[in-house]
Amino acid sequence: MKVRRDPRVPLTTAAGLGAVAVVVALVTGGSAPVVTAIAGVVTGLLAAVSLIMAASRVVPAHRRQPGAWRWMAAGALTWLLGVGVRPVADGTPFVLTFADLLMLVGSVLLAIGCGMSVKPPAFTRGVIRQAADAYLGAASVFAVAWVAVLGPAFRKAEDTGAFFVALALPVVCLLATCAVTPAVAASRSGNRVVGLTGVGVLTAITVAEMATALARLDGDTPPLAAGLVVPAMLLVLAVAPWVQEDRPARPLPAALTAATPLVLVAAATLVATLYAIGSSRDAALAVVAASVVLVLLGRLFVLLVETAGMRRLVDVGEQQLRRLAENTGDVVLVCDPGGVIQEVGPGLETTYGYCPEDLAFRPIFDYIHPEDVPAVQALLDRMTDEDDDGPEQGGGTRISCRFRASDGTWRPTESVAARHVRDDDLVLVTIRDLSDQVALRNQVTHLTFHDGVTGLPNRAYFEERARDVLTRRGAGGTAVIFLDLDGFTSVNDSVGHASGDHLLGQAARRLRSAVRADDTLARWGGDEFAVLLEGGASGGADAQTAIDLAERLVRAVSNEPFRVADRDVALTASVGVAFAEEDLPPGDLLRNADVAMSRAKELGGRRVEVFATHMHADVLRRLEIASDLQRALLENQFAIEYQPVVDLATSQVTAVEALVRWWRGSTFVPPEQFLGPAEDTGIIVPLSEWILREACREVAAWRASSWDIGLALNLSARQIMAPRFVETVAEALSESGLPASALTLEVIEEMLVEDAGEMISRLSELRTLGVRLAIDDFGTGYASLAFLRQLPVDMIKIDPSFVSGLGRDDTLTLLTKTIVQLGNDLGLIVVAEGIERPEQLDLLRKMGCTRGQGYLVARPMTARGVDSLMPTTTLQNTA
């Protein structure tokens, strides 16, 4: 970053110090050499200090600048040493003194600093060309000076050797000045002020030393005016570093920076002078003039050769650029600074439908979208600004805009603008059509944030939208609804995934019609959908609105069956609702809605559940239990209890139902808390196998004691669908010696409904082993009577909800009687579960129910407790 300072402060200080030094020298009556020496030392020191301070404090844009200023400071210090000791050294008999050598070295250092202060540096054109240009300029100036001043002085001189030795210092300064002036004057850098000032100092030194040399040859004292020119320029040099320009500088015309004008002036002066005096005595001048002409001819020849080569390179480059643009499908236009199209390349008609004549000499802005015109106009202004030193000069500037095709559509394009290689006043524009890329990008974006099956936003979009809403609007009135299609898995299994996707599309349309326009409906994944309600201020009305919407979603799914694969499929929906709270992260809000939905599904589906804190606690507890189940199985933390099943007519124990118990340390975990997680995690399969083998072994031992007792076991869906389930049952029977007819396997009605085909197939395989089958919790309404005909069932167990109403609810009593009658008519064993009161027992006996179990009959007990039961045990004793 550049540091801008008020230039008046250093300017005033420099001028004041210099003026004070000169005034003091004059007042004290010092001679011209003494005054010149004092002024030179003060101003030279001031310039050196200013340059060193500027190099250390100011950070210029050109990285070479600080180094260049230090070179110039070193030159100023060396020069001031020479000018300071010159009054003493001039008393020696030598033509060139030690002071002159110091001033010569200082001038060379100043020239090096001037050359390094500009961009590009002065010495990038080659040493030979640089030296030739410097010689031409210096020789031309020398020729003019010879005719005007030096020639007459030479003719008066008695010692020609001393004459040329005296001119050595000004001639070297003249060469150094001519060497750096063209580069500094032609530079476009905005930091060339110091360089130009340095050139001025070198010029002043050359003039002053020329006057000093002539005065020495005449035996006079150098004039005071000539001696004060250099201190004056040093004052300007001290100020220059603090008044840098911020914008690029306008270069001087190339004709003025070359040596040619100086040569022409010198030649004209020479011809005129020789013609006027008609003398051939000036041999030195003739040699100089001849050498100037020869060097100029050589430089001209080399320049012509280089120019021809560069023109060929420009032609080849332009042709290659056009051919490359045409091969890539780009359209090439050439515009003037006002945006008028001057030339049109091929490919325009193919890409945009225009003929080249349609666009020629018309403004390019007529074909650019109005919203993009200001940016394009600003770009052309920068490209055609002679003072601009931006990156587009070396290469090009890219800009995106919309270009109108002949059919009126706006095509997205990427254009590159660069200055024309032949004419800086023209701009070369290449236009590339990006319609296909933009369409592909939009399609990728759509697929990234939308579901391909339903067309709804997907989970990624929903999560991002929820974060945005909660960040911008806060938690007030925001709610999330999660919806899951109950029984959708059976649709995929029965009619295929393609038909399942078709059903999801129908469900999405129904749900979209039920939500509000400003709500966000998305497919969360699988058969789950999510709705984001962006409410206003929080309140009961907003909560009721969310619940009402959730109920509408349930009705939208459940009220009408879906038509899939030429059949009607009836589905229900489980819906969870969660409301945002202050400082609740979006992820937690989505999790809460998912937990509420899972709760609704656990309670049977087709219902709406609103998230409550205890639900999350229940989930965490289930996760904790699930993580401990595997360890519990390995550490034998499970035990088996048996609940007797008795014959209601004879009061004899006919069978026992094996029930699993879990003691986690000293804590008893109820079955309803761990059987669900065991089912979800798959631990239920090895656990059920262990229960099967242990129970078969225990019951086989009882039967070996001449006790005709059977075993009943509950089966889970995951256990039945395990790959080797049938083989596992056969192995358990074989290992224990328990007859297959003594084993009754129980399934609930819901399992038969969810996967009827595969489930019935597996149960039929068990039936072929001789194992008896029972339908547990019969009467809850999941299965139809058709299953009793499809599956050879041996037993039905009446759900405890019917038995609990016996004697108190006439409807339940009638339904129980109907089930008992139906089972007897079909020749099935009917078992009543949950007998807890004597009146229930009496009614079941009157209805003809053959068997029963419950706390009134016997509570679950360990194997040792079963040992105490004798076949003659009566109901009264067991009660």
Side-chain angles (χ1 to χ4, degrees):
M1 177 179 178
K2 292 185 178 181
V3 179
R4 296 188 59 87
R5 299 174 180 267
D6 189 353
R8 293 174 295 182
V9 176
L11 179 62
T12 304
T13 304
L17 292 175
V20 169
V22 175
V23 169
V24 170
L26 293 175
V27 169
T28 56
S31 60
V34 175
V35 174
T36 301
I38 294 175
V41 171
V42 173
T43 56
L45 183 61
L46 183 63
V49 172
S50 177
L51 288 169
I52 292 174
M53 291 177 61
S56 61
R57 296 184 181 181
V58 181
V59 181
H62 198 307
R63 63 182 181 179
R64 297 172 58 92
Q65 204 79 313
W69 292 353
R70 293 187 181 95
W71 276 95
M72 295 177 70
L77 289 173
T78 307
W79 184 87
L80 71 88
L81 289 176
V83 77
V85 301
R86 170 171 277 182
V88 179
D90 281 345
T92 62
F94 302 103
V95 178
L96 284 179
T97 65
F98 175 76
D100 296 333
L101 294 178
L102 288 176
M103 298 177 69
L104 178 62
V105 174
S107 301
V108 174
L109 294 177
L110 281 169
I112 294 175
C114 291
M116 294 177 60
S117 65
V118 296
K119 177 186 179 181
F123 305 105
T124 57
R125 297 180 294 160
V127 177
I128 297 178
R129 293 180 58 186
Q130 187 76 16
D133 288 345
Y135 177 79
L136 289 176
S140 301
V141 174
F142 183 84
V144 175
W146 184 275
V147 173
V149 179
L150 299 179
F154 175 75
R155 286 187 289 271
K156 295 178 183 180
E158 297 179 357
D159 187 355
T160 57
F163 178 84
F164 287 111
V165 172
L167 292 179
L169 179 57
V171 169
V172 173
C173 292
L174 177 62
L175 284 170
T177 304
C178 293
V180 299
T181 299
V184 176
S187 173
R188 298 176 62 90
S189 174
N191 298 318
R192 65 174 184 171
V193 176
V194 177
L196 289 174
T197 307
V199 171
V201 173
L202 289 173
T203 304
I205 292 175
T206 303
V207 173
E209 293 307 313
M210 185 68 71
T212 300
L214 293 176
R216 285 179 176 177
L217 292 174
D218 292 339
D220 297 332
T221 301
L224 181 60
L228 294 179
V229 172
V230 179
M233 288 304 302
L234 287 174
L235 287 177
V236 179
L237 181 61
V239 177
W242 307 97
V243 290
Q244 293 297 295
E245 300 180 19
D246 287 333
R247 63 187 301 275
R250 183 187 298 273
L252 297 177
L256 299 180
T257 62
T260 304
L262 297 177
V263 174
L264 295 178
V265 172
T269 304
L270 175 63
V271 172
T273 304
L274 292 177
Y275 179 78
I277 64 178
S279 175
S280 60
R281 295 176 299 171
D282 298 327
L285 182 60
V287 172
V288 173
S291 65
V292 168
V293 173
L294 291 176
V295 173
L296 181 60
L297 290 176
R299 284 282 289 113
L300 180 61
F301 176 76
V302 174
L303 183 62
L304 291 176
V305 173
E306 293 178 349
T307 302
M310 287 189 291
R311 285 180 176 175
R312 287 194 298 271
L313 291 177
V314 170
D315 292 338
V316 172
E318 184 177 3
Q319 293 175 4
Q320 291 178 346
L321 177 62
R322 288 181 175 273
R323 190 175 298 111
L324 178 62
E326 294 169 5
N327 292 337
T328 57
D330 295 349
V331 176
V332 181
L333 303 177
V334 178
C335 303
D336 64 9
V340 178
I341 301 173
Q342 302 295 322
E343 185 179 347
V344 181
L348 179 68
E349 186 173 3
T350 303
T351 306
Y352 296 104
Y354 295 110
C355 296
E357 297 78 13
D358 297 337
L359 271 68
F361 305 105
R362 297 193 61 181
I364 193 174
F365 306 111
D366 294 347
Y367 303 92
I368 295 177
H369 196 281
E371 296 178 359
D372 301 330
V373 167
V376 177
Q377 180 67 65
L379 173 62
L380 290 178
D381 292 341
R382 293 197 306 270
M383 295 297 302
T384 56
D385 187 2
E386 293 182 357
D387 295 336
D388 193 1
D389 194 23
E392 57 269 12
Q393 289 187 357
T397 300
R398 295 180 182 272
I399 187 171
S400 298
C401 61
R402 287 160 287 183
F403 195 85
R404 178 165 55 86
S406 60
D407 58 1
T409 59
W410 294 103
R411 306 278 189 86
T413 65
E414 182 183 61
S415 302
V416 178
R419 288 190 176 182
H420 200 280
V421 292
R422 293 186 180 275
D423 191 346
D424 284 346
D425 292 333
L426 296 179
V427 178
L428 184 67
V429 181
T430 59
I431 302 176
R432 173 170 296 179
D433 185 76
L434 300 180
S435 300
D436 294 340
Q437 293 92 321
V438 171
L440 179 60
R441 184 166 58 247
N442 293 337
Q443 183 180 3
V444 170
T445 302
H446 180 82
L447 293 177
T448 302
F449 293 104
H450 286 77
D451 175 55
V453 175
T454 63
L456 296 176
N458 59 12
R459 177 174 180 172
Y461 178 89
F462 191 86
E463 290 177 338
E464 183 66 28
R465 181 63 181 168
R467 282 192 295 268
D468 181 63
V469 169
L470 292 179
T471 301
R472 288 188 297 105
R473 304 185 182 181
T478 304
V480 172
I481 300 175
F482 268 37
L483 179 145
D484 180 85
L485 300 178
D486 301 326
F488 178 77
T489 304
S490 62
V491 176
N492 279 337
D493 296 340
S494 59
V495 297
H497 288 274
S499 297
D501 291 344
H502 179 63
L503 188 150
L504 289 174
Q506 296 181 52
R509 288 189 291 273
R510 292 189 189 183
L511 297 176
R512 188 185 292 113
S513 63
V515 301
R516 302 176 302 181
D518 56 348
D519 296 334
T520 301
L521 171 65
R523 184 187 177 192
W524 187 254
D527 58 344
E528 296 181 4
F529 297 85
V531 181
L532 177 65
L533 283 75
E534 306 173 23
S538 61
D542 290 322
Q544 189 59 47
T545 299
I547 295 174
D548 292 342
L549 174 57
E551 293 177 348
R552 285 203 308 273
L553 296 177
V554 172
R555 292 193 297 270
V557 173
S558 307
N559 284 355
E560 183 180 352
F562 295 90
R563 188 67 179 173
V564 180
D566 297 330
R567 68 179 68 176
D568 290 335
V569 177
L571 295 179
T572 59
S574 300
V575 178
V577 182
F579 297 97
E581 301 174 0
E582 292 297 333
D583 300 327
L584 181 68
D588 291 352
L589 175 61
L590 302 179
R591 178 207 63 197
N592 294 345
D594 194 10
V595 169
M597 181 197 70
S598 300
R599 179 62 176 171
K601 201 169 187 68
E602 291 174 2
L603 296 177
R606 195 172 183 176
R607 60 186 298 135
V608 175
E609 286 291 323
V610 179
F611 175 79
T613 306
H614 70 84
M615 294 183 182
H616 185 223
D618 292 342
V619 172
L620 294 178
R621 185 166 54 253
R622 288 170 63 91
L623 290 176
E624 181 182 359
I625 290 175
S627 64
D628 291 342
L629 281 173
Q630 184 70 42
R631 184 171 62 254
L633 187 61
L634 295 176
E635 296 178 358
N636 297 321
Q637 296 180 6
F638 293 101
I640 300 177
E641 290 188 351
Y642 301 92
Q643 185 172 25
V645 178
V646 301
D647 188 323
L648 298 183
T650 64
S651 301
Q652 297 294 321
V653 177
T654 60
V656 289
E657 181 179 356
L659 304 174
V660 64
R661 297 292 184 259
W662 181 18
W663 289 90
R664 187 164 52 175
S666 60
T667 303
F668 175 74
V669 182
E672 59 271 14
Q673 291 186 10
F674 71 84
L675 289 180
E679 179 80 13
D680 296 337
T681 58
I683 298 297
I684 193 68
V685 175
L687 178 60
S688 297
E689 291 181 2
W690 176 81
I691 297 171
L692 174 64
R693 296 179 187 276
E694 284 293 313
C696 287
R697 184 180 59 80
E698 291 281 0
V699 174
W702 292 326
R703 292 180 64 87
S705 300
S706 301
W707 187 6
D708 187 13
I709 187 173
L711 172 64
L713 284 175
N714 287 293
L715 299 180
S716 68
R718 187 183 287 268
Q719 180 185 8
I720 297 175
M721 302 306 296
R724 298 188 68 258
F725 172 65
V726 177
E727 291 82 351
T728 300
V729 174
E731 292 173 359
L733 294 174
S734 175
E735 293 173 0
S736 63
L738 182 69
S741 59
L743 177 62
T744 302
L745 297 179
E746 303 176 1
V747 295
I748 60 175
E749 290 184 273
E750 183 180 359
M751 292 165 50
L752 299 175
V753 175
E754 289 183 352
D755 197 358
E758 184 68 20
M759 186 68 66
I760 292 177
S761 175
R762 287 295 184 94
L763 294 178
S764 298
E765 293 180 27
L766 290 173
R767 194 68 174 82
T768 58
L769 295 178
V771 175
R772 297 198 292 180
L773 300 179
I775 297 180
D776 197 10
D777 299 335
F778 187 82
T780 53
Y782 287 100
S784 66
L785 296 177
F787 284 105
L788 299 178
R789 192 176 44 154
Q790 297 177 19
L791 184 64
V793 178
D794 301 282
M795 181 186 302
I796 58 175
K797 303 184 73 172
I798 304 175
D799 189 76
S801 60
F802 292 92
V803 177
S804 63
L806 292 178
R808 297 178 179 179
D809 189 317
D810 294 340
T811 302
L812 290 178
T813 302
L814 180 59
L815 289 175
T816 304
K817 183 178 180 179
T818 303
I819 294 174
V820 173
Q821 184 64 41
L822 175 64
N824 292 334
D825 293 343
L826 293 176
L828 303 177
I829 300 174
V830 180
V831 180
E833 295 182 286
I835 303 175
E836 297 180 353
R837 303 192 309 273
E839 62 268 23
Q840 296 172 341
L841 180 60
D842 294 338
L843 288 173
L844 288 170
R845 282 174 171 170
K846 294 177 181 179
M847 292 177 185
C849 183
T850 57
R851 296 183 184 180
Q853 64 183 117
Y855 284 179
L856 180 65
V857 176
R859 291 178 178 271
M861 59 190 69
T862 63
R864 181 172 298 181
V866 177
D867 289 338
S868 64
L869 296 177
M870 300 300 295
T872 57
T873 302
T874 62
L875 290 177
Q876 290 76 9
N877 293 334
T878 58

